[in-house]
């Protein structure tokens, strides 16, 4: 799965009072690098650490005015779970 496969989910999320942000794993979709299983959780943690700066760059509020919900499908569910650990 890559981010572009989430387009149908984005349409659903537009009907809800929330925002939707998707990240590709390293070496998938438009991401660079080579896929390494030992990098999955650290890469996801880095994405979360970069979230405040990413939102500020696009003039969106931080702290975000609603809960941040992490979702993963398949292997991504284990990665999302590692962030809330």
């Amino acid at each position: 799965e890559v981010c572009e496969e989430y387009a149908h989910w984005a349409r659903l999320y537009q009907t809800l009072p929330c925002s939707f942000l998707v990240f590709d794993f390293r070496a998938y979709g438009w991401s660079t690098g080579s896929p390494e299983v030992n990098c999955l959780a650290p890469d996801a943690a880095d994405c979360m650490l970069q979230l405040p700066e990413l939102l500020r760059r696009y003039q969106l509020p931080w702290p975000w005015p609603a809960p941040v919900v992490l979702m993963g499908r398949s292997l991504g569910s284990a990665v999302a779970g590692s962030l809330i650990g």
Side-chain angles (χ1 to χ4, degrees):
E1 298 175 18
V2 294
C3 288
E4 68 184 37
E5 294 174 7
Y6 282 79
H8 66 284
W9 288 105
R11 286 189 293 279
L12 170 66
Y13 278 87
Q14 287 176 333
T15 68
L16 302 172
C18 66
S19 296
F20 183 65
L21 181 64
V22 181
F23 294 95
D24 278 324
F25 287 127
R26 168 191 305 231
Y28 288 87
W30 292 344
S31 293
T32 60
S34 59
E36 298 178 33
V37 72
N38 62 334
C39 293
L40 293 174
D43 285 354
D46 286 343
C47 287
M48 289 303 296
L49 290 173
Q50 293 299 317
L51 188 57
E53 177 56 32
L54 179 65
L55 293 173
R56 284 188 203 103
R57 185 180 318 155
Y58 291 96
Q59 299 175 351
L60 296 168
W62 186 261
W64 193 245
V68 173
V69 177
L70 303 176
M71 180 193 115
R73 289 177 50 192
S74 190
L75 181 58
S77 62
V79 175
S82 75
L83 292 173
I84 59 173

